[in-house]
Amino acid sequence: MDDDERRGRYEAAYRALYAPVCGYVTRRVPDPQDAAEVVAETFLTLWRRFEDAPPGDELRPWVYGVARRTLANHRRGERRRTALAERLAADLAVLGEAVHAPDVDDSVARAFAALSDADRELLALVAWEGLSHEELAVALGVSRPVVRLRLHRARRRFAEARRQDDLQRSAAAGHATARRVIARPGTTEETL
Amino acid sequence: MTRERAYDAVRRLARVDDEQVATVAGAEGREALLEGIVSMPVPTTTPAPRRRRRASVIGGGIAVTLAASGTIGWAIAVNNPRDTTALQCAIPDSPSIVDAVSGDPVADCAAEWERQRGEAPPALVAYDNGHGGVLVQPATEPAPPGSSPFAGTQNLALIQLGEALDDYVAGLNSRCLDEPAAVSLTKAKLAELGLHDWTVTTRRNPGATCFDRASPDPGSRTVLVIGAASVQDPSSVDMILARRLRKVAATCQSLPEAKAAVERAASDLGLSSDPSFVQYRITSVATDAKCTTIRQRVGGAIFVTLRGPRG
């Protein structure tokens, strides 16, 4: 593959993956400058290691894997400011103004937040990025049986987290009712 | 909860969907970023034009040999896999691209295999993949189309040069280096590795103040040092670990002593080497050196490479 062919193939891959990668990152990084840095670093890694990237359908999950590792660095506190990301940061700042918090049942959000980082990422890769088991294996660098097992456990823990949240809310509601019943006239809940 | 209900519940938590992103992440920004990236030098694993011209001269022996089989164009156009600093390791269900460490691709793949699967690999064989890369796979598997057996080793000096320049302990990422300091450091690393006939060139990206990236090209024997960053955060975990490893590296230690010291430093920072979520990884290479060198690279996780005496 000569330089022109390499560049042409990279550009095709870049244009196909630009929106999905921007989506992947902005769903996980609220700050537009930080998100732009992660996107830029991800595509720069793809440029530097293009010969290592798998062809065809495996490319997208492979790039998500790169983005995931870049993001992990970013969350660990590595902060670089590159000129590459400036234009994209300006774009994503507009996105930040337009985004509204999704209308979801609080218990779902609480249960999701209660999961480990690994469980959340696994479920998000399926639900938000639409990855299949095979693609997850590529993105996470593990075997398909391991993906199935981890997904099964993550779903089970998510269901358990929702059940626990429901129980706590029911208990809290019941406790509040009981306190209202036993509160005598002239006393406040704070004094009971 | 059914599988579909679980995913549907999670789906509704996404703060932004791809359509919203597409409305703002438009063509102008996309093309600006693309132009910035493709203006970066082509990595050494791919033949640059000047390198192909050189190959047609210094690689004459190869070209003549293959010319007899009618593939001279291939010989000139394809990079020498000996100069790659990574390899493809065909681990079942988990094909991996790993950094070359020892120069022996079979040994490096075997180590990765054991790390991932917890068992020794079967007999492995290395191939030149025909595209300038090295592939290692079980000897029982048929040779991939277009490949040929890869004998010998990858370029260890080049592997170590990459490690030394990317290094957070004493390399270009150890602090924010201006252009003269980065060039001086690069020349010193080249001299340490016996690469005396190499030259150093520089390029600064707009707005950048730290020369923190290097692109060695074995074809032209040139290292391009790039000013790419405008800020380096000394409070990041990577930099804190590097400062601690710098103290370890300042003392003469055996490989086991240095490994234990790195593990302590990483553990103190709460970093995990658990295979399920690797935050740092140590690779040890036994050498005849008197003291252990410590290199720290960052890319998805923290990779520490130790080269030193067994102790």
Side-chain angles (χ1 to χ4, degrees), chain B residues 154-244:
Chain B
Q154 290 173 283
N155 188 336
L156 185 56
L158 198 57
I159 292 166
Q160 290 182 281
L161 179 65
E163 285 174 5
L165 294 177
D166 282 351
D167 185 24
Y168 278 61
V169 176
L172 295 174
N173 285 290
S174 58
R175 59 194 186 281
C176 181
L177 296 169
D178 62 16
E179 185 173 339
V183 169
S184 174
L185 184 145
T186 303
K187 287 180 175 175
K189 300 296 180 189
L190 287 166
E192 282 175 23
L193 292 164
L195 302 170
H196 299 293
D197 56 345
W198 284 56
T199 56
V200 181
T201 60
T202 60
R203 199 188 73 206
R204 183 199 298 267
N205 289 346
T209 53
C210 310
F211 283 72
D212 63 335
R213 292 175 197 241
S215 178
D217 180 356
S220 62
R221 296 183 185 273
T222 303
V223 179
L224 173 60
V225 179
I226 304 164
S230 53
V231 172
Q232 281 186 329
D233 180 3
S235 65
S236 73
V237 173
D238 308 317
M239 299 300 276
I240 294 171
L241 179 64
R243 283 199 294 276
R244 295 184 182 186

Side-chain angles (χ1 to χ4, degrees), chain A residues 1-3 6-7 10-11 14-15 18-20 22-24 26-30 36 39-41 43-44 47-53 58 62 64 68-70 72-73 76-88 91-92 94-96 98-100 102-105 108-109 112 117-118 120 122-124 126-129 133 137 141-145 150-151 155 158-159 162, chain B residues 1-3 5-18 20-26 28-43 45-49 52 77-78 85-87 92-99 116 131 166 168 173 205-208 212-214 228-233 235-238 271 275-279 298-302:
Chain A
M1 182 163 53
D2 65 20
D3 281 2
R6 182 184 198 277
R7 178 172 172 149
Y10 176 84
E11 288 185 3
Y14 171 91
R15 291 197 174 95
Y18 181 73
C22 285
Y24 174 92
T26 51
R27 280 188 277 277
R28 289 157 177 81
V29 184
V39 171
E41 189 69 29
F43 280 114
L44 187 57
W47 170 249
R48 296 172 77 182
R49 308 201 69 167
F50 197 51
E51 284 70 24
D52 302 336
E58 289 191 357
W62 189 87
Y64 282 149
R68 187 173 66 89
R69 288 186 289 274
T70 305
N73 277 343
R76 277 208 317 271
E78 184 185 25
R79 292 286 187 276
R80 293 186 186 204
R81 288 287 180 259
T82 57
L84 275 180
E86 284 176 5
R87 181 66 178 78
L88 177 58
D91 280 354
L92 296 183
V94 177
L95 177 67
V99 166
H100 299 287
D103 181 19
V104 295
D105 178 353
V108 175
F112 191 65
D117 287 348
R120 273 202 303 274
L122 199 55
L123 295 175
V126 176
W128 297 353
E129 303 346 303
H133 287 194
V142 298
S143 66
R144 285 189 287 275
R150 287 189 187 175
L151 267 179
R155 283 196 306 269
F158 183 44
R162 290 192 68 180
Chain B
M1 187 189 308
T2 67
R3 178 183 307 185
R5 282 183 61 198
Y7 294 143
D8 187 52
V10 173
R11 195 170 293 121
R12 288 183 292 122
L13 295 175
R15 59 185 293 275
V16 58
D17 61 36
D18 282 350
Q20 289 172 299
V21 173
T23 59
V24 299
E28 197 177 325
R30 183 189 67 201
E31 295 306 307
L33 177 58
L34 174 63
E35 191 54 39
I37 289 173
V38 299
S39 68
M40 302 291 263
V42 175
T45 51
T46 299
R52 289 203 302 276
V78 174
T85 56
L87 59 111
D93 293 327
S94 182
S96 301
I97 303 291
V98 297
D99 285 328
Q116 286 197 23
H131 304 288
D166 282 351
Y168 278 61
N173 285 290
N205 289 346
D212 63 335
R213 292 175 197 241
S230 53
V231 172
Q232 281 186 329
D233 180 3
S235 65
S236 73
V237 173
D238 308 317
L271 296 172
S276 64
F277 187 67
V278 176
Q279 291 178 308
V298 176
I302 297 175

Side-chain angles (χ1 to χ4, degrees), chain B residues 27-82:
Chain B
E28 197 177 325
R30 183 189 67 201
E31 295 306 307
L33 177 58
L34 174 63
E35 191 54 39
I37 289 173
V38 299
S39 68
M40 302 291 263
V42 175
T44 57
T45 51
T46 299
R50 60 180 180 280
R51 193 147 143 211
R52 289 203 302 276
R53 286 196 295 273
R54 186 182 184 88
S56 65
V57 177
I58 64 171
I62 299 171
V64 169
T65 304
L66 294 172
S69 58
T71 52
I72 187 168
W74 180 91
I76 292 172
V78 174
N79 189 20
N80 182 354
R82 181 175 141 70

Side-chain angles (χ1 to χ4, degrees), chain B residues 70-162:
Chain B
T71 52
I72 187 168
W74 180 91
I76 292 172
V78 174
N79 189 20
N80 182 354
R82 181 175 141 70
D83 287 338
T84 60
T85 56
L87 59 111
Q88 185 178 356
C89 184
I91 300 170
D93 293 327
S94 182
S96 301
I97 303 291
V98 297
D99 285 328
V101 178
S102 69
D104 177 351
V106 170
D108 289 347
C109 179
E112 181 65 20
W113 186 300
E114 193 156 348
R115 195 187 329 250
Q116 286 197 23
R117 298 180 71 90
E119 60 187 19
L124 301 171
V125 177
Y127 292 95
D128 171 348
N129 71 6
H131 304 288
V134 177
L135 165 69
V136 181
Q137 65 177 31
T140 52
E141 298 287 323
S147 69
S148 58
F150 178 77
T153 59
Q154 290 173 283
N155 188 336
L156 185 56
L158 198 57
I159 292 166
Q160 290 182 281
L161 179 65

